[in-house]
Amino acid sequence: MAEEQTELDERIIIKDLHTKEIDLVNRDPKHINEDVVKVDFEDVIAEPVGTYSFDGVWKTSYTTFTVSKYWCYRLLSAILGIPLAVIWGFLFALISFCHIWAVVPCIKSYLIEIQCVARIYPLCIHTFCDPLFEALSKICSNIRVALRKEI
Protein backbone atom coordinates (compact mmCIF):
# COMPACT_ATOMS: atom_id res chain seq x y z
CA MET A 1 0.00 0.00 0.00
CA ALA A 2 2.79 2.43 0.92
CA GLU A 3 4.65 1.55 -2.30
CA GLU A 4 1.54 2.27 -4.37
CA GLN A 5 1.14 5.66 -2.64
CA THR A 6 4.81 6.53 -3.30
CA GLU A 7 4.44 5.52 -6.95
CA LEU A 8 1.27 7.62 -7.24
CA ASP A 9 3.05 10.62 -5.66
CA GLU A 10 5.94 10.25 -8.15
CA ARG A 11 3.48 10.21 -11.06
CA ILE A 12 1.76 13.34 -9.74
CA ILE A 13 5.11 15.13 -9.34
CA ILE A 14 6.17 14.16 -12.87
CA LYS A 15 2.80 15.27 -14.25
CA ASP A 16 3.00 18.62 -12.40
CA LEU A 17 6.30 19.45 -14.10
CA HIS A 18 4.51 19.65 -17.46
CA THR A 19 1.04 20.79 -16.36
CA LYS A 20 1.96 23.59 -13.97
CA GLU A 21 -0.93 25.58 -12.59
CA ILE A 22 -1.10 29.04 -14.12
CA ASP A 23 -2.39 32.19 -12.50
CA LEU A 24 -5.36 33.51 -14.47
CA VAL A 25 -5.45 36.77 -12.49
CA ASN A 26 -1.80 37.87 -12.55
CA ARG A 27 -0.66 36.90 -16.04
CA ASP A 28 2.65 38.79 -15.87
CA PRO A 29 4.12 37.70 -12.51
CA LYS A 30 7.69 38.60 -13.52
CA HIS A 31 6.63 42.01 -14.91
CA ILE A 32 8.32 41.51 -18.29
CA ASN A 33 5.78 43.73 -20.07
CA GLU A 34 5.36 46.31 -17.32
CA ASP A 35 6.34 49.43 -19.25
CA VAL A 36 6.10 48.15 -22.80
CA VAL A 37 2.45 47.60 -23.61
CA LYS A 38 0.60 49.68 -21.04
CA VAL A 39 -0.95 52.06 -23.54
CA ASP A 40 -4.08 53.87 -22.48
CA PHE A 41 -6.17 56.49 -24.25
CA GLU A 42 -4.41 59.30 -22.35
CA ASP A 43 -1.01 58.02 -23.50
CA VAL A 44 -1.96 58.27 -27.16
CA ILE A 45 -4.54 61.03 -27.54
CA ALA A 46 -4.51 64.33 -25.68
CA GLU A 47 -6.07 67.71 -26.36
CA PRO A 48 -4.18 70.78 -25.18
CA VAL A 49 -5.97 73.60 -23.42
CA GLY A 50 -7.95 75.73 -25.85
CA THR A 51 -8.43 73.04 -28.51
CA TYR A 52 -11.08 70.83 -26.97
CA SER A 53 -13.52 68.83 -29.06
CA PHE A 54 -17.14 68.31 -28.02
CA ASP A 55 -17.53 66.39 -24.77
CA GLY A 56 -19.58 63.72 -26.53
CA VAL A 57 -16.86 63.22 -29.15
CA TRP A 58 -14.20 62.95 -26.44
CA LYS A 59 -16.20 60.36 -24.45
CA THR A 60 -17.06 58.37 -27.56
CA SER A 61 -13.44 58.45 -28.73
CA TYR A 62 -12.31 57.19 -25.32
CA THR A 63 -14.86 54.36 -25.33
CA THR A 64 -14.13 53.44 -28.95
CA PHE A 65 -10.36 53.36 -28.37
CA THR A 66 -10.61 51.31 -25.18
CA VAL A 67 -13.14 48.78 -26.46
CA SER A 68 -11.53 48.34 -29.89
CA LYS A 69 -8.08 47.86 -28.31
CA TYR A 70 -9.53 45.31 -25.90
CA TRP A 71 -11.41 43.28 -28.51
CA CYS A 72 -8.73 43.52 -31.21
CA TYR A 73 -6.20 42.14 -28.73
CA ARG A 74 -8.58 39.34 -27.73
CA LEU A 75 -9.33 38.50 -31.37
CA LEU A 76 -5.66 38.52 -32.38
CA SER A 77 -4.68 36.42 -29.38
CA ALA A 78 -7.50 33.95 -30.13
CA ILE A 79 -6.44 33.60 -33.78
CA LEU A 80 -2.66 33.84 -33.50
CA GLY A 81 -1.94 33.03 -29.84
CA ILE A 82 -1.83 29.24 -30.10
CA PRO A 83 0.12 29.07 -33.40
CA LEU A 84 2.66 31.59 -32.07
CA ALA A 85 2.91 29.64 -28.80
CA VAL A 86 3.74 26.54 -30.86
CA ILE A 87 6.35 28.45 -32.88
CA TRP A 88 7.94 30.00 -29.75
CA GLY A 89 7.87 26.64 -27.97
CA PHE A 90 9.59 25.03 -30.96
CA LEU A 91 12.16 27.84 -31.16
CA PHE A 92 13.09 27.65 -27.48
CA ALA A 93 13.18 23.85 -27.64
CA LEU A 94 15.54 24.15 -30.63
CA ILE A 95 17.74 26.64 -28.78
CA SER A 96 17.83 24.37 -25.72
CA PHE A 97 18.62 21.35 -27.90
CA CYS A 98 21.48 23.15 -29.66
CA HIS A 99 22.85 24.44 -26.38
CA ILE A 100 22.71 21.03 -24.69
CA TRP A 101 23.91 18.90 -27.61
CA ALA A 102 26.26 21.26 -29.50
CA VAL A 103 27.37 24.40 -27.67
CA VAL A 104 28.32 22.96 -24.28
CA PRO A 105 30.14 19.92 -25.75
CA CYS A 106 32.09 22.20 -28.11
CA ILE A 107 33.10 24.47 -25.25
CA LYS A 108 34.14 21.49 -23.09
CA SER A 109 36.13 20.04 -26.00
CA TYR A 110 37.82 23.38 -26.58
CA LEU A 111 38.72 23.71 -22.90
CA ILE A 112 40.25 20.23 -22.87
CA GLU A 113 42.26 20.87 -26.04
CA ILE A 114 43.42 24.32 -24.95
CA GLN A 115 45.04 22.82 -21.84
CA CYS A 116 47.73 21.30 -24.06
CA VAL A 117 48.42 24.67 -25.66
CA ALA A 118 48.39 26.32 -22.23
CA ARG A 119 51.34 24.13 -21.23
CA ILE A 120 53.35 24.59 -24.44
CA TYR A 121 52.81 28.36 -24.86
CA PRO A 122 54.77 29.46 -21.74
CA LEU A 123 57.65 27.18 -22.74
CA CYS A 124 57.85 28.84 -26.17
CA ILE A 125 57.69 32.33 -24.63
CA HIS A 126 60.42 31.58 -22.11
CA THR A 127 62.60 29.84 -24.73
CA PHE A 128 62.42 32.44 -27.51
CA CYS A 129 61.22 35.76 -26.10
CA ASP A 130 63.03 35.91 -22.75
CA PRO A 131 66.56 35.84 -24.30
CA LEU A 132 65.54 38.38 -26.95
CA PHE A 133 64.12 40.87 -24.45
CA GLU A 134 67.02 40.32 -22.07
CA ALA A 135 69.47 41.19 -24.87
CA LEU A 136 67.42 44.26 -25.83
CA SER A 137 67.36 45.43 -22.22
CA LYS A 138 71.17 45.16 -22.00
CA ILE A 139 71.52 47.12 -25.24
CA CYS A 140 69.21 49.87 -24.03
CA SER A 141 70.51 49.96 -20.45
CA ASN A 142 73.31 52.43 -21.29
CA ILE A 143 71.01 55.02 -22.82
CA ARG A 144 70.90 58.18 -20.70
CA VAL A 145 68.45 61.01 -21.13
CA ALA A 146 69.37 64.47 -19.94
CA LEU A 147 66.82 67.26 -19.84
CA ARG A 148 67.95 70.88 -19.97
CA LYS A 149 65.91 73.91 -19.67
CA GLU A 150 66.87 76.46 -22.30
CA ILE A 151 66.25 80.11 -21.69
Side-chain angles (χ1 to χ4, degrees):
M1 174 93 174
E3 291 177 11
E4 292 176 7
Q5 183 64 30
T6 306
E7 187 176 311
L8 181 63
D9 290 342
E10 288 177 4
R11 286 185 195 161
I12 290 172
I13 290 171
I14 291 171
K15 181 182 178 191
D16 285 344
L17 292 175
H18 300 293
T19 59
K20 183 173 101 173
E21 289 290 324
I22 60 170
D23 187 358
L24 294 177
V25 177
N26 181 13
R27 297 187 184 191
D28 190 9
K30 295 184 180 179
H31 308 291
I32 60 174
N33 291 316
E34 180 127 341
D35 55 344
V36 178
V37 290
K38 279 187 178 178
V39 178
D40 292 327
F41 181 76
E42 296 84 11
D43 298 327
V44 178
I45 300 171
E47 291 181 331
V49 176
T51 55
Y52 289 159
S53 61
F54 296 113
D55 290 344
V57 171
W58 187 251
K59 289 178 184 176
T60 306
S61 298
Y62 174 80
T63 304
T64 304
F65 176 87
T66 306
V67 171
S68 63
K69 183 183 92 164
Y70 176 78
W71 282 106
C72 285
Y73 176 79
R74 285 198 146 197
L75 182 66
L76 286 170
S77 63
I79 294 170
L80 300 174
I82 293 173
L84 285 173
V86 170
I87 290 169
W88 285 115
F90 176 76
L91 178 68
F92 284 109
L94 182 64
I95 291 170
S96 298
F97 176 82
C98 289
H99 186 76
I100 291 167
W101 291 100
V103 174
V104 172
C106 285
I107 291 172
K108 292 291 184 181
S109 172
Y110 171 77
L111 290 175
I112 290 170
E113 293 163 3
I114 201 70
Q115 287 179 357
C116 178
V117 174
R119 290 187 180 144
I120 295 171
Y121 183 73
L123 291 173
C124 293
I125 294 296
H126 290 305
T127 303
F128 299 110
C129 294
D130 282 356
L132 174 68
F133 289 122
E134 198 172 310
L136 286 173
S137 69
K138 288 185 180 183
I139 291 170
C140 296
S141 66
N142 289 327
I143 297 175
R144 302 277 183 244
V145 177
L147 296 175
R148 286 188 234 165
K149 191 174 186 180
E150 292 186 24
I151 299 180

